[in-house]
Amino acid sequence: MKNDYLLLTPGPLSTSETVRKAMLQDWCTWDADYNQLVQKVRERLVTLSTRETDSYTSVLMQGSGSFTVESVLGTVMPKTGGKLLVCTNGAYGDRIVKMCEVLGIETVVVEEEEHMAIDPSTVEAHLGNDPTISHVVVVHCETTTGILNPAQEICAAAKRYGKTTIVDAMSSFGGIPMDVHDWGIDFLISSANKCIQGVPGFGFCIAKKKELEKCKDNARSLSLDMYSQYETMENNSGKWRYTSPTHVVRAFYQALLELEEEGGVQARHRRYIQNQQLLVQGMEKLGFSAHIKEEQQSPIITSFLFPDDPTFTFQEFYQTLKKKGFVIYPGKISEINTFRIGNIGEVYPKDMERLLDVIQETCSNWEHTFV
Ligand SMILES: *Cc1c(COP(=O)(O)O)cnc(C)c1O
């Protein structure tokens, strides 16, 4: 049952042994025992996301996180007459733009450089200039770099203009405190295998009921119709329309219990901050520099610049760390060479300390040293 290495990646990530063990039972996808479990998961997700639980619901969707993003976009945007303002400063914002192209959704794109957070006043200026914008979408933690966008301020601006808001909080929900009601979020998207610390297989949307009720017959896809999925789950007490990832859902339920045991989102946030700060401080001592300014850096994943050393290659660095028990992530930034180290999942400060020891050992073997 033990893992060969720790995943320092932004999902799939290292899960607890008890979460993985929860998958060792088979479930019938339409049996009441299983459907009750689904309902408990849905309720807990709403409770995690807001104090105003009566106004919100949650819907689960098969597939990786992107499937849920595509499902929400394709279901929430009206077939005609809607226009979506998309904020982007990384690969996940760009993916939303691409999805809109495929789905035939009209967009206005607010683009920022990858190392800069989206500026709410730029969004506000667009909203003031173009009254045909109906919806606004922003990625909260842009996992491309680990930058944190001011989703709360952006949604507040959108709400001043009466727009519907969508937030891709894939890599932050469960790890950073937020309240969808207080933040003015109508649709929040996340998935099983990020900060809730489950295994991959489905995503979910926390939706304001009043807004979701408007979305019947909007969908451009049968399988990814979030409204239909909602209707089926509501009317059939937790039934999914098509085969659901039963084992993954059971593991996710266990992960939700473990989040509660840890002390909830606040406590998990504190652990992630501790992990991230240890990591950056230790890396800086070794001569590495973080790419994102500290004020905008998330406690989720950190981008580091390649060291100024002619002998450094990411592949070799990666393989060495992997042999010593840690899997890190390549960079995803287009303009500059970076690698990324995530600190979410079943990962603790002592793991960060072990990682730093291993990196120090690795650097000391390099021919040239940049430190
Ligand atoms: C992980 C992630 C997604 C979804 O990616 P998948 O590979 O489809 O799971 C979307 N947006 C953000 C910000 C993410 O971190």
Side-chain angles (χ1 to χ4, degrees):
M1 293 292 283
K2 285 272 181 283
N3 285 317
D4 295 339
Y5 35 73
L6 202 63
L7 296 176
L8 298 176
T9 54
L13 34 65
S14 288
T15 54
S16 70
E17 208 170 315
T18 34
V19 162
R20 297 195 300 279
K21 266 191 186 146
M23 290 187 284
L24 294 176
Q25 191 187 333
D26 300 319
W27 299 79
C28 173
T29 189
W30 50 260
D31 181 82
D33 292 343
Y34 174 68
N35 293 343
Q36 277 161 17
L37 179 74
V38 173
Q39 293 299 71
K40 278 201 274 189
V41 165
R42 291 181 63 211
E43 278 161 30
R44 270 176 187 266
L45 283 176
V46 174
T47 309
L48 267 187
S49 63
T50 185
R51 288 175 285 117
E52 295 287 326
T53 50
D54 289 347
S55 312
Y56 288 84
T57 186
S58 74
V59 192
L60 318 181
M61 180 59 74
Q62 294 94 333
S64 84
S66 301
F67 290 64
T68 301
V69 176
E70 193 156 348
S71 162
V72 167
L73 296 173
T75 305
V76 169
M77 293 306 294
K79 272 200 179 120
T80 54
K83 195 194 267 187
L84 178 64
L85 183 149
V86 185
C87 304
T88 180
N89 55 344
Y92 292 102
D94 291 349
R95 189 175 296 174
I96 291 176
V97 175
K98 254 189 227 145
M99 285 173 182
C100 289
E101 279 167 22
V102 172
L103 294 168
I105 292 168
E106 204 186 332
T107 56
V108 178
V109 179
V110 172
E111 197 170 356
E112 194 40 274
E113 286 182 63
E114 284 164 325
H115 64 284
M116 303 280 285
I118 305 285
D119 184 350
S121 61
T122 312
V123 175
E124 186 135 15
H126 274 86
L127 294 172
N129 288 337
D130 185 352
T132 66
I133 294 168
S134 56
H135 295 66
V136 173
V137 62
V138 63
V139 177
H140 183 215
C141 172
E142 189 31 279
T143 322
T144 310
T145 52
I147 201 166
L148 212 48
N149 282 317
Q152 184 174 9
E153 287 76 9
I154 290 167
C155 290
K159 285 299 167 194
R160 282 195 286 280
Y161 287 82
K163 312 301 180 192
T164 302
T165 55
I166 305 169
V167 175
D168 172 348
M170 200 73 68
S171 61
S172 56
F173 182 73
I176 297 180
M178 61 187 85
D179 185 304
V180 284
H181 173 78
D182 295 349
W183 286 29
I185 301 174
D186 297 314
F187 298 93
L188 177 144
I189 303 159
S190 187
S191 75
N193 59 284
K194 302 247 169 152
C195 295
I196 310 275
Q197 300 184 182
V199 302
F202 73 93
F204 55 86
C205 161
I206 314 285
K208 191 167 194 171
K209 284 181 194 165
K210 202 166 69 127
E211 291 297 324
L212 184 57
E213 293 295 346
K214 296 177 191 165
C215 300
K216 191 173 167 68
D217 298 327
N218 276 353
R220 282 100 170 142
S221 155
L222 178 71
S223 305
L224 295 178
D225 185 342
M226 187 59 84
Y227 183 87
S228 267
Q229 184 89 323
Y230 168 61
E231 212 176 25
T232 305
M233 285 188 170
E234 283 293 298
N235 296 342
N236 302 282
S237 313
K239 189 180 171 299
W240 300 50
R241 285 173 309 157
Y242 313 133
T243 299
S244 76
T246 47
H247 303 77
V248 177
V249 172
R250 181 61 188 84
F252 188 71
Y253 181 65
Q254 176 62 27
L256 284 168
L257 298 181
E258 290 177 17
L259 172 58
E260 194 173 293
E261 272 165 36
E262 184 170 355
V265 177
Q266 303 280 356
R268 183 154 294 178
H269 185 226
R270 281 196 296 277
R271 170 164 64 90
Y272 287 172
I273 288 176
Q274 231 187 329
N275 285 348
Q276 200 272 338
Q277 287 184 346
L278 267 172
L279 172 70
V280 173
Q281 286 159 10
M283 288 295 276
E284 285 180 345
K285 255 189 225 150
L286 294 174
F288 291 89
S289 324
H291 183 46
I292 299 299
K293 274 190 290 196
E294 203 181 324
E295 315 87 76
Q296 299 181 337
Q297 170 66 50
S298 69
I300 307 293
I301 184 166
T302 310
S303 294
F304 292 99
L305 302 175
F306 277 15
D308 188 14
D309 183 316
T311 59
F312 178 89
T313 69
F314 177 74
Q315 259 320 311
E316 213 179 305
F317 188 52
Y318 174 89
Q319 291 301 344
T320 310
L321 297 189
K322 184 178 163 189
K323 264 185 233 139
K324 296 180 177 181
F326 298 96
V327 163
I328 64 166
Y329 232 40
K332 205 175 185 162
I333 308 179
S334 38
E335 62 211 38
I336 194 160
N337 280 329
T338 57
F339 61 86
R340 293 177 290 169
I341 302 182
N343 57 263
I344 59 176
E346 193 67 3
V347 174
Y348 294 85
K350 66 174 177 4
D351 299 308
M352 289 292 134
E353 278 157 11
R354 278 197 303 125
L355 170 76
L356 289 164
D357 288 345
V358 162
I359 294 180
Q360 180 167 27
E361 216 175 270
T362 307
C363 297
S364 67
N365 291 333
W366 290 349
E367 248 172 80
H368 299 264
T369 169
F370 62 93
V371 184

